[in-house]
Amino acid sequence: MTENAQQQPPAPDTELPTQYAPADVEGPLYERWVERGYFEADAKSDKPSYTIVIPPPNVTGSLHLGHAFEHTLIDALTRRKRMQGFETLWQPGMDHAGIATQNVVERELGKEGKSRHDLGREAFVDRVWQWKAESGGQISGQMRRLGDGVAWSRERFTMDEGLSQAVQTIFKRLYDDELIYRAERIINWCPRCLTAISDIEVEYQDDDGELVSLKYGEGEETVVVATTRAETMLGDTAVAVHPEDERYKHLVGKQIKLPLTDRTIPVVADEHVDPEFGTGAVKVTPAHDPNDFEIGQRHDLPAITVMDEHAVITVHGPFQGLDRFESRSAIVAALRAEGRIVAEKRPYVHSVGHCSRCKTTIEPRLSMQWWVKVGPLAKAAGDAVREGKVKIHPQEMEKRYFDWVDNLHDWCISRQLWWGHRIPVWYGPQGEVVCVGPDEQPPSGEGWRQDTDVLDTWFSSGLWPFSTLGWPEQTESLAKFYPNSVLVTGYDILFFWVARMMMFGLYAMDGTPPFHTIALHGMVRDQFGKKMSKSFGNAVNPLDWMDKYGSDALRFTLARGANPGVDVPIGEDWVQGSRNFANKIWNATRFALMNGATVEGPLPDASKMSATDRWILSRLNSVVAEVDALYEDFQFAKLSDALFHFAWDEVFDWYVELSKTTFQAGGEPAEVSKRVLGEVLDVTLKLLHPVVPFVTETLWTTLTGGESVVIAEWPSDSGFRDKAAEQEIETLQSVITEVRRFRADQGLQPGQRVPARLTLDGTALAPHEAAIRQLLRLQPEGESFTATATLPVGGAEVALDLSGTIDVAAERKRLAKDLAGAEKEKAQATAKLGNEAFLAKAPDNVVDKIRGRLAKAEQDIARIQAQLDRLPEA
């Protein structure tokens, strides 16, 4: 802990309002922080660096609870490191979100009765830039509302000039190293967006479909296959069986008739086929299924495309021109008419991929696309974690990472869009192919044309940790802030964004990974653990909760639920509870200020402190050490919980209350406690600041007179511990808690005063008599005092005179009734647990429930009997 007098001016003569109003505080405070440049990062600084990039939100987006959650965690990390003296960079920016953004602008054009083709490519792209300028900055304002301490002057966009140069540079390098190539492969195709899409843009859901079993061939050369996509049988070029399957060995190598066509197709043996699944035979459609494509490659089968880009059938007269779903019904009907249907199952629930943007069913499609050869890149990404260059937290997520990067397929990076980084490849009139770098002139002349496709959004966002720092230029920022210290992101994009950043970072930066640590968090869910979705009716706009309860309340609720890699449930009542915590901090600090709490001068010597003072300072240092350790382990939930209970339970509910008698008595003990209370609040507000920045800034600057807690020094553990004082106050707490419980059991009101005799001589509680009497509302015993109840607690004795406060006869009657009920419950539970027949049949959870009832009944009996024993005779 630090001595504020040596680094801060005297506290100003400022009073806090009686109530905390977040709406009046948060906006002006944030703008002051930004104006003073607290969040900016200086590449020339000689301080150690600490860097985190924002997972770039889509320019089309707005702040949802997932963003608020992730940003809260990153902001807490960076605020703490800034206070610890690091040159801290939280790099902001947004992703151009190719498909999402193009869809938004196309919808706007649709309202005008136009399509992008009416405008042409150049004019359409101009229109998207116009939309971005007008509407794309919404999320920036929401980030400010949340309190994100990002370096706004460094904000980047994946389509800005610098990042475009980075994209073109790495494409050229990969191309020259033969790690980028063009080939015809199976891709995820959206017939609505008319583009290939990445795996992460495919959402799988269980749909009702049909499973149809079809008979191919004739007589002894008959084989049955099953499919959920009967329309693709028009493109079948083989039937595959397992080479060891005795049922089909006589068919391997033979040609069989493909129904509804004039073609015959071979039966091939392939180990990919599972002989135990279905009939052990599968239809092979290389142009419309990724697994079938691989079989086709192994057996040199032709690939017949039977659908166009709109998923309309293009072959075989009777079905030509039909939509894929229309043709499915028509083809099944035609097969049924030929006696080719062996079995039909409807509904048949199976997992089907849908476009995440427009919800259209995805169609696997053979297409000429650009690919990244990921083999060597993925190996480097796996080795970086295996060799300890990069740590994944929590560690159990490493297996999922290895399962992905060790089995990564080549990555389709081309998209049939107009909005995005256009592929820097030109085709010549004689079949020439030229890849152009950022400093090279593209070929010109008649017949030369640029590839019309753009790059997958993940290609440019994969460069984010170094392209935002000026790469490929060797900038001061790149030298200072790369590699990033930690990446904070959701486990749901571990395989997509994180793996791509790892591959590109290691490739572009000479084997230096893009970050030291990958800290993975879970997904935000509702209070019942259900995924939040507009369709479920449980989606929440975080701005609504921030408007109602304040940004600090939302942040603290999210942080308090953030266990590494685990989903986070959240409900409005929890946010309300966090608002109450902010109010508690506010009210306790107001009390301290009104009672002269101060940060001026060094802390008094421990010999001048009371046990209460020494106890709270000892606990304070323990909490500083605990919070530091939890931050290093990304245990946000545990550190938030530790701070909550320390601040509310120990500081506000105990230390502040115990200090009231000291303040009232005055003198040197009161001055000592005022300084201790000031120190405790100073440090507690600093510890809380990274998670609840607004309320702590207001309170800390008022308490200390410091410029801002944002740039204050992070507390350190001074090593001060006083176990004797901790034990003494724990004993005091147990006495007060026990007597309060007894008072409540007797039906006494909290403020009701009761005559009492305290026998404290010879115990550690002797110095605390005034505090005990004040907190327990115990008045002096008086001449007519009669001890009607005696409580031996903590080595002391508290005798109470309840004769004038309760109706003893009525209380005994009430307790006797409660005791009879508890004994009846015990008897019933005991009887059931003693019944062997019942135990043999009852489920374990039912038996456990009865055991719990028995245990509770026994506890109730002991508690009620103790209350009866303490009462005087009626």
Side-chain angles (χ1 to χ4, degrees):
M1 289 178 289
T2 58
E3 296 178 359
N4 290 285
Q6 297 177 8
Q7 61 175 17
Q8 305 290 2
D13 185 17
T14 304
E15 290 186 0
L16 291 169
T18 55
Q19 290 185 324
Y20 177 48
D24 297 338
V25 169
E26 293 175 352
L29 263 189
Y30 188 83
E31 291 309 313
R32 190 183 312 154
W33 290 335
V34 173
E35 288 168 7
R36 292 179 178 177
Y38 293 154
F39 305 140
E40 296 302 323
D42 182 5
K44 293 182 170 63
S45 168
D46 58 2
K47 297 178 182 178
S49 65
Y50 187 81
T51 315
I52 296 181
V53 294
I54 193 172
N58 289 352
V59 68
T60 58
S62 59
L63 192 74
H64 55 65
L65 272 178
H67 286 123
F69 172 56
E70 187 167 77
H71 290 201
T72 294
L73 305 188
I74 298 174
D75 198 41
L77 290 173
T78 51
R79 284 179 182 270
R80 172 174 173 262
K81 285 297 181 179
R82 192 177 291 113
M83 295 172 74
Q84 287 183 315
F86 286 77
E87 193 62 38
T88 303
L89 169 61
W90 183 8
Q91 172 66 53
M94 285 182 287
D95 191 281
H96 65 279
I99 295 177
T101 306
Q102 180 157 318
N103 280 348
V104 167
V105 178
E106 285 196 84
R107 282 197 296 270
E108 293 299 312
L109 283 173
K111 295 175 184 177
E112 303 170 15
K114 298 178 182 178
S115 73
R116 62 183 165 117
H117 299 285
D118 294 323
L119 271 65
R121 183 168 191 145
E122 187 174 342
F124 176 77
V125 170
D126 287 342
R127 180 70 175 259
V128 180
W129 277 109
Q130 179 185 338
W131 175 88
K132 190 259 181 186
E134 294 172 355
S135 309
Q138 180 182 3
I139 202 165
S140 297
Q142 295 167 335
M143 287 167 61
R144 292 170 183 265
R145 281 289 313 277
L146 189 64
D148 288 2
V150 299
W152 285 113
S153 69
R154 291 173 172 266
E155 186 175 11
R156 304 304 298 268
F157 179 55
T158 51
M159 286 282 286
D160 69 26
E161 184 178 352
L163 271 67
S164 295
Q165 183 183 25
V167 168
Q168 196 170 353
T169 298
I170 201 162
F171 187 99
K172 171 69 171 173
R173 292 188 185 179
L174 289 164
Y175 182 87
D176 289 346
D177 287 344
E178 298 183 348
L179 292 173
I180 281 183
Y181 63 94
R182 191 168 184 246
E184 198 173 37
R185 298 278 185 85
I186 293 285
I187 45 87
N188 300 308
W189 181 263
C190 175
R192 154 63 183 79
C193 298
L194 297 180
T195 182
I197 65 173
S198 66
D199 291 337
I200 198 172
E201 292 163 322
V202 179
E203 291 180 348
Y204 287 90
Q205 66 184 47
D206 287 340
D207 286 357
D208 286 344
E210 59 182 356
L211 182 66
V212 183
S213 297
L214 314 175
K215 181 172 65 175
Y216 288 8
E218 302 291 348
E220 292 185 359
E221 295 181 354
T222 296
V223 64
V224 176
V225 298
T227 180
T228 59
R229 301 164 67 216
E231 68 278 8
T232 64
M233 60 84 58
L234 299 175
D236 285 359
T237 56
V239 169
V241 297
H242 193 274
E244 302 300 323
D245 194 331
E246 294 293 336
R247 294 172 295 177
Y248 302 112
K249 279 194 173 182
H250 69 288
L251 288 177
V252 173
K254 292 186 177 181
Q255 295 282 328
I256 61 174
K257 179 77 166 63
L258 179 66
L260 304 183
T261 73
D262 57 2
R263 293 191 291 118
T264 60
I265 58 176
V267 177
V268 300
D270 195 282
E271 291 189 354
H272 168 77
V273 180
D274 180 1
E276 303 299 323
F277 183 78
T279 64
V282 297
K283 58 192 288 297
V284 181
T285 320
H288 293 280
D289 183 276
N291 293 322
D292 292 3
F293 178 80
E294 298 295 332
I295 293 175
Q297 292 289 99
R298 287 193 289 272
H299 297 276
D300 198 24
L301 299 173
I304 301 174
T305 300
V306 299
M307 287 180 233
D308 66 11
E309 60 185 6
H310 298 280
V312 171
I313 300 297
T314 58
V315 298
H316 203 70
F319 313 110
Q320 192 168 358
L322 294 180
D323 169 84
R324 54 182 165 163
F325 300 120
E326 295 172 336
S327 69
R328 182 176 300 170
S329 300
I331 288 169
V332 169
L335 289 166
R336 188 182 299 113
E338 287 193 5
R340 294 286 178 176
I341 302 294
V342 175
E344 296 178 72
K345 184 176 182 180
R346 296 189 186 89
Y348 178 72
V349 179
H350 61 133
S351 181
V352 178
H354 296 259
C355 174
S356 63
R357 303 302 176 189
C358 67
K359 310 309 176 187
T360 301
T361 301
I362 289 302
E363 191 65 42
R365 185 168 187 260
L366 187 62
S367 180
M368 182 66 76
Q369 302 285 345
W370 285 94
W371 304 82
V372 172
K373 186 184 294 182
V374 299
L377 302 175
K379 182 180 185 304
D383 290 345
V385 175
R386 287 188 174 92
E387 295 168 4
K389 295 179 182 177
V390 178
K391 296 186 183 302
I392 293 179
H393 192 279
Q395 190 174 0
E396 54 265 28
M397 287 287 183
E398 281 187 2
K399 183 181 183 301
R400 296 177 68 178
Y401 176 80
F402 293 137
D403 286 346
W404 179 256
V405 297
D406 292 347
N407 299 285
L408 203 55
H409 295 120
D410 284 0
W411 169 22
C412 176
I413 56 172
S414 45
R415 299 290 179 267
Q416 290 65 56
L417 305 172
W418 287 355
W419 171 246
H421 296 281
R422 194 165 174 180
I423 289 177
V425 171
W426 272 255
Y427 306 105
Q430 305 301 320
E432 302 95 331
V433 179
V434 177
C435 181
V436 177
D439 300 322
E440 299 172 351
Q441 286 296 322
S444 59
E446 187 175 349
W448 283 94
R449 60 182 178 84
Q450 186 178 359
D451 196 301
T452 57
D453 288 352
V454 300
L455 288 164
D456 178 12
T457 297
W458 296 100
F459 191 94
S460 50
S461 62
L463 314 180
W464 194 245
F466 52 93
S467 63
T468 52
L469 299 173
W471 187 91
E473 301 298 323
Q474 297 304 306
T475 64
E476 288 181 322
S477 291
L478 189 64
K480 180 71 175 177
F481 297 112
Y482 187 91
N484 296 178
S485 305
V486 61
L487 174 74
V488 178
T489 192
Y491 64 70
D492 57 318
I493 56 174
L494 171 65
F495 319 123
F496 304 104
W497 186 47
V498 178
R500 281 150 174 70
M501 285 190 291
M502 286 285 283
M503 291 191 296
F504 281 165
L506 290 160
Y507 174 79
M509 300 300 293
D510 299 321
T512 302
F515 17 74
H516 296 301
T517 302
I518 302 167
L520 298 169
H521 59 72
M523 313 297 289
V524 178
R525 297 182 178 271
D526 72 11
Q527 59 188 324
F528 305 108
K530 190 175 182 180
K531 180 181 178 181
M532 285 192 170
S533 167
K534 289 181 181 178
S535 60
F536 295 154
N538 62 351
V540 174
N541 182 346
L543 293 176
D544 293 341
W545 283 352
M546 288 192 278
D547 288 342
K548 195 170 182 180
Y549 303 111
S551 298
D552 283 334
L554 176 63
R555 289 171 61 116
F556 192 71
T557 304
L558 290 166
R560 208 171 172 196
N563 290 298
V566 178
D567 288 346
V568 182
I570 185 173
E572 184 171 1
D573 54 337
W574 303 345
V575 185
Q576 185 175 356
S578 295
R579 187 272 313 273
N580 295 342
F581 179 52
N583 289 341
K584 185 80 170 181
I585 303 169
W586 185 272
N587 292 332
T589 307
R590 283 190 74 247
F591 167 84
L593 289 168
M594 288 188 296
N595 283 276
T598 180
V599 297
E600 295 182 41
L603 279 171
D605 189 83
S607 61
K608 296 183 179 181
M609 296 180 189
S610 67
T612 308
D613 294 330
R614 298 195 308 277
W615 160 73
I616 197 63
L617 289 176
S618 181
R619 288 292 305 125
L620 179 66
N621 277 284
S622 295
V623 169
V624 169
E626 181 182 7
V627 167
D628 274 334
L630 292 171
Y631 260 116
E632 294 305 315
D633 199 33
F634 305 101
Q635 297 282 356
F636 296 98
K638 290 182 179 179
L639 71 89
S640 298
D641 210 49
L643 286 170
F644 173 86
H645 287 293
F646 174 71
W648 192 307
D649 300 344
E650 298 185 77
V651 179
F652 307 149
D653 279 359
W654 283 109
Y655 183 70
V656 167
E657 292 300 317
L658 290 170
S659 298
K660 287 180 179 178
T661 53
T662 306
F663 292 154
Q664 291 168 2
E668 185 178 3
E671 296 305 312
V672 170
S673 290
K674 289 175 184 179
R675 179 64 188 90
V676 170
L677 179 54
E679 179 75 7
V680 170
L681 285 175
D682 171 26
V683 174
T684 302
L685 291 171
K686 287 177 182 175
L687 292 174
L688 284 166
H689 173 73
V691 181
V692 284
F694 293 108
V695 67
T696 51
E697 171 81 340
T698 305
L699 296 176
W700 187 86
T701 52
T702 304
L703 173 72
T704 68
E707 179 185 340
S708 172
V709 71
V710 176
I711 55 172
E713 185 177 342
W714 182 255
S716 58
D717 176 8
S718 71
F720 177 81
R721 300 289 191 279
D722 192 325
K723 293 301 180 185
E726 290 190 36
Q727 182 60 52
E728 182 174 326
I729 301 305
E730 285 174 12
T731 303
L732 173 62
Q733 290 170 332
S734 68
V735 169
I736 293 172
T737 300
E738 182 64 23
V739 177
R740 280 176 173 167
R741 184 182 296 116
F742 177 75
R743 285 175 56 106
D745 287 342
Q746 306 310 314
L748 298 177
Q749 295 300 313
Q752 189 173 352
R753 292 196 167 274
V754 178
R757 177 191 300 130
L758 305 184
T759 305
L760 309 176
D761 292 344
T763 74
L765 299 174
H768 302 287
E769 180 168 353
I772 292 172
R773 286 191 176 277
Q774 179 165 316
L775 291 176
L776 292 173
R777 304 294 190 267
L778 304 179
Q779 62 191 38
E781 54 210 76
E783 294 182 4
S784 59
F785 177 83
T786 302
T788 59
T790 302
L791 305 176
V793 284
E797 188 176 90
V798 179
L800 304 175
D801 184 352
L802 305 178
S803 56
T805 58
I806 62 171
D807 183 334
V808 175
E811 185 63 14
R812 276 192 167 277
K813 185 176 180 180
R814 182 185 72 81
L815 289 173
K817 183 178 179 181
D818 290 348
L819 182 61
E823 287 174 338
K824 181 179 179 182
E825 175 73 4
K826 177 184 176 181
Q828 290 175 342
T830 301
K832 282 194 173 184
L833 292 173
N835 184 335
E836 294 297 334
F838 168 77
L839 293 177
K841 295 179 181 179
D844 289 346
N845 64 317
V846 172
V847 175
D848 289 343
K849 188 174 180 180
I850 294 171
R851 288 193 179 115
R853 283 169 48 193
L854 175 60
K856 184 178 184 303
E858 289 173 338
Q859 292 170 0
D860 289 344
I861 291 168
R863 174 179 56 80
I864 297 167
Q865 189 61 59
Q867 291 174 235
L868 282 167
D869 292 344
R870 290 168 180 162
L871 283 174
E873 294 298 325

